[in-house]
Amino acid sequence: MPQLDEQKIVPVTNDRYRQHFHIMTNGGWLNDPNGLCFYKGYYHVFYQYHPYSTEWGPMHWGHVRSKDLLHWEYLPVALIPGDPEDDGGCFSGSAIVKDGRLYLIYTGQHYYDDGDQDHFWENQNVAFSDDGIHFQKYSGNPVIEAPKDNTQHFRDPKVWQHGDHYYLVLGSQNTAGFGRLLLYQSTDLLHWQEAGIIDQAHDLATEGFMWECPDLFSLGEQDVMVTSPMGIKATSHENLNSSQVDYSIGHLDYGTPHFSGTKLTELDHGHNFYATQTMLTPDQRRIQIGWMSPFEEQLQEHTDGWAGCLTFPRELTIQNNRLIQQPIWELVNLRQSQDVNETTLVNAETPLTLSDPQHCEIDLHWPKELLEEFSWQLNDQLGKLLALTYADGQLTLYRRGADAYRYASAAQLRSLQILVDTSSVEVFVNDGESTFTERYYATGPVAHFLNGTGCTTEVVAYRLA
């Protein structure tokens, strides 16, 4: 069985960008969240992890747990690659509890012996634990192998129970080069049968060549399909990242099988949002966490011994056939002090006086008037670092050094909730109708400013820790 080489683990050497209330590694690289679940009194989050470098490498499963979704305890690495079923890496997957045992279902990565990292094949495997800390890989791995009409792209199983059966959905690409999602069925989590294709791309430009990191869950009477499609062409205002997360609301027919729903819709409008996964809490909330650092960007913290972090947990609901994201209610327990609570007339540049401007929550409301123009801005010693501007029914996000602006429509701006951590900002528009997720790297101290055209603004701000 492969073992972790403790002598090679990368240590954190500088805390300058370390987050206060987001999941990150205690040294090494992080990407996709995996295996979100509640087991034996703890919320568990796993993540793609390379302990020996601050660059992407052979994937392990890092592991943290929490009693409150706010404060996370580092646990031993759950999965280490190197067995025949995962000799190239333990790629993304999910978790489920059955008969008191915690099961992980994950992708095994394999490379051909030609030195080409783009020449690989993938299969699906199982590991399990009775204490939620130490995991054993199933002796019958792999449990699923790619069908004949599939390319090498075949990964990221998301598992759930429906009735008397277990199901999982897999990200896939058919031999014609179009992204799709495959459904599998089991009675014991160990023996799986292919049920069929539940949905697939029909146009590469608008739907993508590979659908990875899928999720499928129910909210009330509706089903939600989420995926991270690769290769969608950007338009002037949409899909401006090289990769993004899209969702569709509709219905999964298990018998056909087929998912029928709304057109794929971008879930977040920021630069740094990818590979989301959800879980159901004991009180039946659907909670989502995503990766906050896509591959196309240079992560400045990599020189400090770590790289990447996850989003703050968000509760998902549906309103008006739209997926709504809001910070979990537990956020109130991070509020250490209230810095601002006032109604103010915002005309020109108005500074916000905050006790800790890099660790705060800012809530802005306009309950009685229609806004013409408004902006929130974050400055450092070099000037404007981030800005979110509302004008002509559009929200525009600017980040210094980024390739493009980001946009979201908002016919009427009613509220903004802004969470700021050491090196990230998450903005929730109109109680979660739209979101912007960003990493940032400040030079020196930061300050917040509001700008408007004579608008009466309710402002509440808290220090978070």
Side-chain angles (χ1 to χ4, degrees):
M1 177 179 291
Q3 299 294 317
L4 196 67
D5 189 340
E6 302 282 349
Q7 300 300 314
K8 292 183 179 179
I9 295 177
V10 175
V12 174
T13 58
N14 192 325
D15 290 338
R16 58 183 172 161
Y17 300 128
R18 295 288 283 176
Q19 302 274 61
H20 283 197
F21 52 91
H22 288 81
I23 294 171
M24 52 193 171
T25 72
N26 56 2
W29 167 274
L30 169 150
N31 57 279
D32 307 3
N34 299 152
L36 274 61
C37 62
F38 186 83
Y39 181 64
K40 292 192 173 181
Y42 288 91
Y43 297 99
H44 291 258
V45 174
F46 304 82
Y47 50 83
Q48 293 285 276
Y49 175 45
H50 187 218
Y52 308 136
S53 169
T54 58
E55 305 290 343
W56 187 93
M59 286 293 100
H60 300 52
W61 273 38
H63 186 193
V64 293
R65 71 179 182 183
S66 173
K67 287 280 192 179
D68 61 5
L69 289 169
L70 302 174
H71 304 93
W72 298 92
E73 172 192 1
Y74 289 104
L75 294 176
V77 174
L79 295 177
I80 301 170
D83 287 302
E85 63 264 37
D86 54 33
D87 52 15
C90 299
F91 275 24
S92 289
S94 55
I96 193 169
V97 178
K98 175 181 180 291
D99 298 329
R101 173 172 282 182
L102 179 58
Y103 288 82
L104 307 181
I105 301 183
Y106 70 97
T107 296
Q109 184 79 353
H110 309 267
Y111 295 98
Y112 293 94
D113 192 20
D114 57 8
D116 183 357
Q117 292 289 293
D118 291 324
H119 192 201
F120 58 82
W121 82 95
E122 298 172 323
N123 54 28
Q124 314 311 318
N125 304 286
V126 171
F128 53 86
S129 172
D130 292 318
D131 64 5
I133 299 174
H134 305 94
F135 289 84
Q136 177 182 337
K137 295 176 184 177
Y138 173 50
S139 61
N141 284 334
V143 297
I144 302 175
E145 301 200 61
K148 289 184 170 34
D149 66 340
N150 212 84
T151 68
Q152 63 185 8
H153 296 289
F154 181 69
R155 55 184 175 268
D156 311 334
K158 176 62 192 297
V159 64
W160 71 95
Q161 185 175 2
H162 178 75
D164 296 330
H165 289 84
Y166 298 95
Y167 293 86
L168 67 78
V169 63
L170 272 164
S172 166
Q173 182 191 56
N174 66 22
T175 49
F178 289 79
R180 64 181 184 177
L181 299 184
L182 302 178
L183 186 69
Y184 286 78
Q185 175 181 302
S186 173
T187 58
D188 62 3
L189 298 174
L190 302 175
H191 303 87
W192 293 88
Q193 293 183 332
E194 183 179 356
I197 303 164
I198 62 168
D199 201 3
Q200 63 183 358
H202 299 282
D203 180 81
L204 290 177
T206 59
E207 296 179 317
F209 66 81
M210 168 59 186
W211 289 5
E212 64 178 6
C213 303
D215 201 350
L216 212 154
F217 51 88
S218 297
L219 281 175
E221 299 298 317
Q222 295 176 286
D223 297 322
V224 181
M225 181 184 75
V226 182
T227 186
S228 295
M230 306 172 72
I232 292 179
K233 300 292 185 185
T235 66
S236 60
H237 281 61
E238 295 181 331
N239 300 307
L240 295 171
N241 290 337
S242 62
S243 52
Q244 53 272 320
V245 179
D246 282 13
Y247 72 92
S248 174
I249 298 173
H251 173 69
L252 175 61
D253 184 336
Y254 285 86
T256 313
H258 177 68
F259 183 88
S260 55
T262 57
K263 74 176 183 68
L264 290 178
T265 302
E266 199 170 11
L267 185 53
D268 186 277
H269 299 274
H271 292 86
N272 302 114
F273 187 81
Y274 196 62
T276 60
Q277 192 172 114
T278 68
M279 65 176 164
L280 199 62
T281 63
D283 61 358
Q284 301 302 298
R285 289 176 293 159
R286 178 60 58 175
I287 303 299
Q288 172 190 267
I289 295 177
W291 175 36
M292 212 188 283
S293 303
F295 287 109
E296 61 265 19
E297 293 192 4
Q298 179 65 59
L299 307 177
Q300 294 186 32
E301 69 266 21
H302 81 93
T303 59
D304 300 337
W306 66 287
C309 62
L310 301 182
T311 65
F312 190 74
R314 305 174 182 186
E315 181 178 357
L316 301 183
T317 55
I318 295 175
Q319 296 177 21
N320 300 319
N321 219 30
R322 187 173 188 170
L323 196 57
I324 303 299
Q325 304 174 75
Q326 293 176 292
I328 55 171
W329 66 260
E330 288 88 344
L331 172 66
V332 299
N333 295 318
L334 290 180
R335 295 171 179 169
Q336 301 301 302
S337 62
Q338 189 173 88
D339 290 344
V340 181
N341 185 5
E342 63 185 25
T343 299
T344 184
L345 186 67
V346 177
N347 268 311
E349 190 173 88
T350 303
L352 280 177
T353 303
L354 305 175
S355 59
D356 188 353
Q358 258 185 301
H359 307 99
C360 63
E361 173 192 353
I362 303 168
D363 298 336
L364 307 169
H365 294 269
W366 301 273
K368 297 180 180 178
E369 62 181 301
L370 296 176
L371 289 188
E372 295 180 12
E373 292 186 5
F374 184 85
S375 72
W376 160 82
Q377 188 169 312
L378 183 68
N379 286 15
D380 64 4
Q381 67 184 32
L382 298 181
K384 184 165 67 173
L385 178 59
L386 278 166
L388 184 68
T389 300
Y390 175 76
D392 301 322
Q394 287 283 341
L395 282 159
T396 304
L397 182 77
Y398 162 85
R399 190 184 75 191
R400 188 172 65 218
D403 292 336
Y405 289 86
R406 296 295 183 264
Y407 303 91
S409 296
Q412 180 180 347
L413 183 60
R414 303 185 305 275
S415 68
L416 294 174
Q417 184 178 16
I418 303 168
L419 304 185
V420 183
D421 207 342
T422 313
S423 56
S424 70
V425 170
E426 294 166 90
V427 181
F428 300 84
V429 181
N430 291 346
D431 298 316
E433 288 181 359
S434 300
T435 60
F436 293 85
T437 303
E438 292 290 323
R439 294 297 305 278
Y440 75 93
Y441 300 98
T443 301
V446 301
H448 299 260
F449 296 89
L450 306 180
N451 290 270
T453 54
C455 53
T456 301
T457 304
E458 294 181 5
V459 185
V460 181
Y462 305 91
R463 180 173 66 87
L464 300 181

